[in-house]
Amino acid sequence: MLSRLFFELLDGKLETTFLGEIEKMRESCSFSLLYLGISKDADLNKLKRGFYHTATDSSYRDAEWLYISIPTLLCPSLAPQNKQIISVVVYLAKGKYKDITNWKIFKENLIADTINRIEKYLPDIKKHIEVIEAATPKTLERYTLNTDGAAYGWEVSVDQIGDNRLPQQTPIGNLYLTGHWTRPGPGICAVVSSGWGVANLIMEKEKWR
Ligand SMILES: Cc1cc2nc3c(=O)[nH]c(=O)nc-3n(C[C@H](O)[C@H](O)[C@H](O)COP(=O)(O)OP(=O)(O)OC[C@H]3O[C@@H](n4cnc5c(N)ncnc54)[C@H](O)[C@@H]3O)c2cc1C
């Protein structure tokens, strides 16, 4: 996303040292998502909320997982009356997305594999599925324009967080950054604070306070 801003929209307008810093930064992982609409008669209590690790041969750093939750257990009004939702975030190691050319087939496999996994905990779940919606990193990119569907902007690591993320004031006078590609970092609370921070920066500069 920032690459598009600095390297395409502002092509030739910025110093190479600043651009060099950006080139060194690494983008975060993305996710795939699966939402299942389930009939009321299915008993979902055996499916515990939480992380289900799926890696068999990866290093710890790239250990893959599913995060499964049933939001309608907490808030039934999220689904039509007498219906339930299973929500799954699927984390696959970053490298796995590199060579995908047919996202439609990737999505079909993702849906089948994830439902098969859930079936281990809820053996008759397939007959209760009424709605299936899935998203891939390509979907996230399409709706948010985050590069490759990066879920957190830059990768979340010590050398890229807090003051090590890009400053909100860019080398171009009235161009400011806010959100998870800038300080302080990713996640809902951090991006709210990022917006608050940049608003204050502008007000200070314009002597509005
Ligand atoms: C699956 C998933 C689960 C997550 N779970 C959590 C969680 O549990 N807790 C948590 O704290 N964080 C979570 N995160 C991270 C969090 O969602 C992000 O860090 C945060 O939403 C980033 O906010 P943002 O405003 O910087 O950018 P975004 O949320 O990406 O918003 C950018 C917006 O700008 C719009 N846009 C982009 N380009 C243009 C343009 N040229 N013109 C007009 N509009 C444009 C996009 O459409 C989008 O609406 C999750 C992320 C993902 C993908």
Side-chain angles (χ1 to χ4, degrees):
M1 186 181 235
L2 282 189
S3 305
R4 196 168 296 150
L5 169 66
F6 290 126
F7 292 95
E8 293 175 26
L9 288 174
L10 294 171
D11 186 23
K13 302 243 176 343
L14 290 158
E15 280 179 31
T16 49
T17 37
F18 178 74
L19 296 176
E21 288 306 307
I22 298 172
E23 269 175 330
K24 278 191 241 154
M25 298 190 79
R26 305 172 305 278
E27 282 141 11
S28 78
C29 66
S30 186
F31 295 124
S32 296
L33 303 156
L34 176 67
Y35 299 100
L36 300 176
I38 306 286
S39 59
K40 183 190 177 233
D41 43 325
D43 177 8
L44 303 184
N45 284 308
K46 283 202 189 114
L47 192 61
K48 299 287 173 220
R49 177 168 69 96
F51 287 94
Y52 290 70
H53 290 273
T54 49
T56 48
D57 55 357
S58 306
S59 66
Y60 177 73
R61 187 181 158 80
D62 265 341
E64 298 180 346
W65 45 261
L66 309 178
Y67 183 83
I68 301 179
S69 58
I70 303 163
T72 40
L73 285 180
L74 291 175
C75 184
S77 66
L78 289 171
Q81 209 173 10
N82 295 333
K83 307 290 179 192
Q84 312 182 74
I85 298 169
I86 297 179
S87 154
V88 188
V89 180
V90 182
Y91 169 70
L92 297 180
K94 243 170 150 184
K96 293 228 168 135
Y97 294 116
K98 231 175 40 216
D99 301 321
I100 295 173
T101 48
N102 192 330
W103 285 94
K104 195 165 175 284
I105 290 180
F106 172 80
K107 195 194 255 190
E108 282 165 11
N109 291 337
L110 171 94
I111 292 170
D113 292 349
T114 310
I115 292 175
N116 286 340
R117 174 81 188 201
I118 294 172
E119 205 179 22
K120 289 188 183 162
Y121 305 98
L122 300 171
D124 62 348
I125 193 63
K126 281 184 183 158
K127 69 173 195 247
H128 296 289
I129 299 174
E130 296 183 359
V131 176
I132 299 178
E133 279 291 342
T136 68
K138 202 71 184 161
T139 322
L140 298 183
E141 181 174 38
R142 179 169 154 227
Y143 284 105
T144 65
L145 290 182
N146 283 303
T147 313
D148 295 331
Y152 303 120
W154 302 118
E155 186 182 279
V156 187
S157 54
V158 175
D159 60 331
Q160 297 199 149
I161 207 77
D163 286 353
N164 292 331
R165 241 166 167 76
L166 294 177
Q168 297 186 302
Q169 170 74 75
T170 68
I172 294 191
N174 288 328
L175 179 64
Y176 296 89
L177 304 179
T178 186
H180 62 182
W181 295 94
T182 183
R183 296 174 189 175
I188 306 304
C189 298
V191 300
V192 168
S193 124
S194 182
W196 175 262
V198 88
N200 279 287
L201 208 63
I202 294 168
M203 288 200 296
E204 247 161 47
K205 191 172 153 197
E206 302 294 335
K207 311 260 184 275
W208 286 342
R209 319 198 294 177

